[in-house]
Amino acid sequence: MEVQLVSAKGLKCTDCFGKIDPYVVIQYKSQQHKSSVARGQGKNPTWNEKFVFRAEYPGNGVPYKLIFKIMDRDTFSEDDFLGEATIYVEDLLALGAENGTAELPLLKYSVVLADKTYRGEIQVGVTFTRKVDSVTDHHGEEFGGNIDPYVVAQFKSQEHESSHTMKNAGKGGNPTWNEKFTFKVEYPGNRDQYKLILKIMDKDTFTSDDFLGQATIYVEELLALGMENGTSQIHPRKYSVIAADQSYRGEIQVGITVTRRAENETSREHFGGWKKSEN
């Protein structure tokens, strides 16, 4: 199901100061997408963006509806809720499942608060196209097609995500990133959290992304050496990627560098880039 978010008109916010910076959170069942922020566009923003949701029909009885939550981006406080619009799409899905495709042309929908107070309108179009599921095993590895992998790197509460653009599409089990990410590291700290977790995921367009496995790198000794000597390094090496059941799922090549910084310095420690092995 493709949602075309075009624009909004006459948005109102009684609790906002100055011009609003609206964006939209679009929800369908457990799936969610967020538009860009229309900075400085006030009550009449334009997005012209498209989003894809997986829609099954018939489904599990949960209401077939799209919810558009319009928000105002604030820099120094919590974002303001401006209102929401709801589009019921059961008839659209039924027609699309029968004929192969169905469309709701661009229409204007009322934006309202919980008490149904009118807060403007939003212009949206929706298209549903029937698809045949690809065959996938229980590890998320597609048969008859290539995986499009990316990596989520986590250190304590910090997280970075590698690219998952078309440059890796079709490379299957041997992708290359050559990217670097920076994490703020404090030593000494909580001993149990001196580890870098690399989650390898497969990017899917019409379904939730598949978890392929993860690698864990314990860095306590590296941090201790870096604090003592000013810098320390693990040269690029290969680490095993394993699934939740501890089965082997491949390997990932990663290098890490730690550089000690004074608290008043703005630069941060570097966890270096990696390149997946071609073997």
Side-chain angles (χ1 to χ4, degrees), residues 258-274:
V258 173
T259 303
R260 186 181 63 210
R261 302 291 185 189
E263 290 185 356
N264 60 351
E265 293 186 47
T266 57
S267 58
R268 295 181 175 182
E269 294 77 8
H270 294 269
F271 282 74
W274 54 71

Side-chain angles (χ1 to χ4, degrees), residues 31-50:
Q31 304 166 68
Q32 179 173 290
H33 290 292
K34 184 167 68 174
S35 77
S36 62
V37 178
R39 296 193 179 278
Q41 296 191 33
K43 63 182 181 179
N44 299 308
T46 298
W47 293 283
N48 283 324
E49 297 177 5
K50 293 182 178 181

Side-chain angles (χ1 to χ4, degrees), residues 1 3 25-32 53-57 60-69 84-93 104 116 126:
M1 180 170 60
V3 176
V25 177
I26 309 172
Q27 296 175 329
Y28 180 74
K29 297 189 176 182
S30 62
Q31 304 166 68
Q32 179 173 290
F53 294 84
R54 179 176 176 84
E56 297 182 354
Y57 187 86
N60 59 7
V62 176
Y64 300 100
K65 62 181 180 181
L66 283 162
I67 300 174
F68 299 80
K69 294 185 177 181
E84 70 180 36
T86 302
I87 304 177
Y88 292 91
V89 294
E90 182 172 6
D91 290 345
L92 175 76
L93 299 184
L104 287 176
K116 304 303 180 182
V126 185

Side-chain angles (χ1 to χ4, degrees), residues 7 13 30 48-49 59 80 89 94 108 111 138 155 245 260 277:
S7 61
C13 181
S30 62
N48 283 324
E49 297 177 5
D80 296 310
V89 294
K108 297 176 181 178
V111 175
H138 67 282
F155 183 79
D245 61 2
R260 186 181 63 210
S277 170

Side-chain angles (χ1 to χ4, degrees), residues 11 13 17 35 79 86 115 120 127 176 188 196 212 219 225 227 230 266:
L11 298 178
C13 181
F17 297 95
S35 77
D79 294 353
T86 302
D115 62 1
T127 302
T176 299
L196 184 66
L212 302 181
V219 294
L225 188 61
M227 289 298 295
T266 57

